[in-house]
Amino acid sequence: MTQKAVQTDGGQLPPAGERNGESGSSAGRVAWITVAGIVLLALNLRPALVAVSPLTPVIGREAGLSSSAISLLTSLPLLCFGLLAPVSPRLGRRLGMERALLVAMVLVIVGTAIRLIPDMAALFGGTVVIGAGIAIGNVLLPGLIKRDFPHRVGPMMGVYSMTLFAGAAAAAGLTVPVQHLSGLGWRAMLTCWGALAVLALAVWLPQVRKRSRVSSRAAAEATHPVRGLWRQPLAWHVAAFMGLQSLTYYAAAAWIPTLLENAGLSQGTAGWMLSFSSLLGIAGSFLAPVLAERRMPAGAVATASTVLSASGIAGLLAAPAAAPYVWMVLLGLGQGGAISLAMLFIVQRAPDTRHVAQLSSMAQCFGYILAASGPLVLGTLHDTSGAWTLPLTVLLALLVLQAVFGLLASRNRHVRDSASVSGPRPDR
């Protein structure tokens, strides 16, 4: 199928490939190179941070970090995602999305290198630098997909979300085995994940060279972002769905291994269950946006993904050690579907690339700050009650809210710029 031209805020752009002067087979080849670049960029948005989790016992032991310091180390990235998300759209408009994404990979590489320095300040500082780079990628990549693949948004968002889960699963499952086989220290092992960012940088660089100019209008708009999103109910519906699914995901990832160990599973088996859930999340994250675009109403897919997650949590509540593989299948498919739908709603509810960046910024700012509270709140509830019943019951209640906001966010409407619309302005 021939791709159509893309209408953006700065004028009309042809599809990836044709906008660079190619057509036919050349355009198709350029489009595939763009896809490869997007996949490699997305592959770097989790591993450098997720790799810390399986190494926390040895980091705490060798670096002498307290439990509170370890909790801060694992929460810093989420805070960076949320607090730095509002900066990303302006950076994208100033530099152009290709250059801004190149900066994101440079930050990931620099951050992983900083963590190699044998100092605690370097460990935390490098984590913040990595979080800043990933925050840029989190916000800008969905907009890039809408711009370059306007007629393939569902499948491309599926590929994007699937790659996020694949990167996280690889980091969770491979970090410790590779460290044991290689004999590397934990600092060197964390630094190794920066090699993925170097590869992404090399593949993405030609995109920057082909699209290095920023239009004068885009430069002017860098100081005039989309106005009024924070006052629009539809934008809040998208942000709430993003935040609630993120909270559930990160809270479960933080405490499921401990919960399963308390239920009688070995440490190795409990850790494997979390990786197994992430592997199933890859399938869920790819299927959900494809179904939402082609087969089923998006609201029905959002509800189904939430019900799957709730079924997994309910199983962990009722009998965690009875059928852990079943609970992890349900949870993995549900969480994978939810994260990809959250990203898809950001793209679908925005009328153009500029709105995608701003809505992505708002949703991820609110969502990741909310998600950062999840592990702490669940841990506090467990410490207070002395059992997992109360924390899991709270998660189930939050999943009900997630289903409601999923239905609201799935409505076929667009957010709008309050500065560019006059008179009565209902969400269209």
Side-chain angles (χ1 to χ4, degrees):
M1 177 181 290
T2 304
Q3 293 179 330
K4 296 180 181 179
V6 185
Q7 185 69 36
T8 71
D9 51 293
Q12 194 178 60
L13 289 174
E18 291 183 16
R19 73 172 64 107
N20 293 320
E22 292 95 352
S23 60
S25 60
S26 296
R29 183 167 59 252
V30 171
W32 278 110
I33 293 173
T34 304
V35 171
I38 290 172
V39 167
L40 284 171
L41 289 172
L43 197 60
N44 279 278
L45 299 185
R46 295 297 180 269
L49 300 176
V50 173
V52 173
S53 295
L55 293 174
T56 50
V58 66
I59 293 174
R61 185 173 60 252
E62 295 186 6
L65 295 181
S66 65
S67 297
S68 298
I70 290 291
S71 297
L72 177 61
L73 182 64
T74 54
S75 297
L76 267 178
L78 296 179
L79 292 173
C80 288
F81 294 171
L83 296 174
L84 298 178
V87 179
S88 301
R90 177 169 294 185
L91 183 66
R93 292 191 300 272
R94 282 286 187 189
L95 302 180
M97 281 198 283
E98 283 79 7
R99 281 184 174 178
L101 289 166
L102 190 75
V103 169
M105 288 301 100
V106 170
L107 289 173
V108 172
I109 294 169
V110 170
T112 55
I114 290 174
R115 293 198 301 196
L116 192 59
I117 300 172
D119 182 81
M120 284 303 99
L123 174 63
F124 283 87
T127 299
V128 170
V129 173
I130 293 169
I134 293 175
I136 296 171
N138 281 342
V139 171
L140 295 185
L141 270 175
L144 185 81
I145 289 171
K146 185 177 181 72
R147 187 198 71 187
D148 286 0
F149 301 93
H151 307 295
R152 294 287 185 271
V153 167
M156 282 302 301
M157 289 305 297
V159 169
Y160 169 68
S161 302
M162 181 177 66
T163 306
L164 288 180
F165 262 89
L174 296 178
T175 297
V176 172
V178 170
Q179 184 200 22
H180 289 166
L181 288 173
S182 63
L184 293 172
W186 61 267
R187 293 184 188 276
M189 188 62 235
L190 288 178
T191 304
C192 285
W193 287 105
L196 273 178
V198 174
L199 177 60
L201 190 74
V203 173
W204 193 247
L205 193 57
Q207 301 292 327
V208 178
R209 290 173 176 169
K210 290 179 180 178
R211 286 182 56 83
S212 59
R213 296 180 61 188
V214 180
S215 68
S216 58
R217 180 174 179 176
E221 285 174 344
T223 56
H224 299 285
V226 173
R227 303 293 184 184
L229 282 189
W230 292 82
R231 297 190 297 272
Q232 296 184 41
L234 180 58
W236 276 108
H237 298 157
V238 174
F241 184 77
M242 177 73 186
L244 288 167
Q245 66 81 26
S246 296
L247 185 153
T248 302
Y249 173 80
Y250 286 105
W255 291 111
I256 277 179
T258 303
L259 183 154
L260 293 174
E261 282 187 61
N262 292 346
L265 275 65
S266 68
Q267 182 182 15
T269 302
W272 158 245
M273 286 298 162
L274 185 60
S275 295
F276 178 70
S277 175
S278 295
L279 291 174
L280 269 297
I282 295 173
S285 64
F286 179 75
L287 291 173
V290 174
L291 290 174
E293 283 245 312
R294 298 174 180 270
R295 303 292 182 184
M296 297 171 60
V301 181
T303 302
S305 68
T306 305
V307 169
L308 286 171
S309 295
S311 300
I313 295 294
L316 291 171
L317 175 61
Y325 276 99
V326 176
W327 313 144
M328 292 302 101
V329 167
L330 294 170
L331 191 61
L333 290 173
Q335 289 180 334
I339 180 60
S340 62
L341 287 172
M343 296 296 182
L344 181 65
F345 290 156
I346 290 171
V347 174
Q348 286 184 331
R349 301 290 79 81
D352 54 41
T353 302
R354 192 164 63 102
H355 282 78
V356 170
Q358 290 294 141
L359 182 57
S360 180
S361 169
M362 173 185 170
Q364 295 193 51
C365 175
F366 173 78
Y368 283 119
I369 291 175
L370 179 64
S373 69
L376 178 61
V377 170
L378 254 67
T380 301
L381 291 174
H382 175 261
D383 290 342
T384 302
S385 64
W388 289 105
T389 302
L390 180 59
L392 293 180
T393 302
V394 170
L395 273 187
L396 287 173
L398 291 174
L399 284 167
V400 174
L401 289 177
Q402 178 180 311
V404 171
F405 283 110
L407 287 170
L408 293 172
S410 69
R411 293 175 299 168
N412 188 23
R413 299 180 180 182
H414 283 157
V415 297
R416 65 322 188 244
D417 187 345
S418 62
S420 62
V421 181
S422 58
R425 295 176 297 186
D427 291 335
R428 56 183 180 177

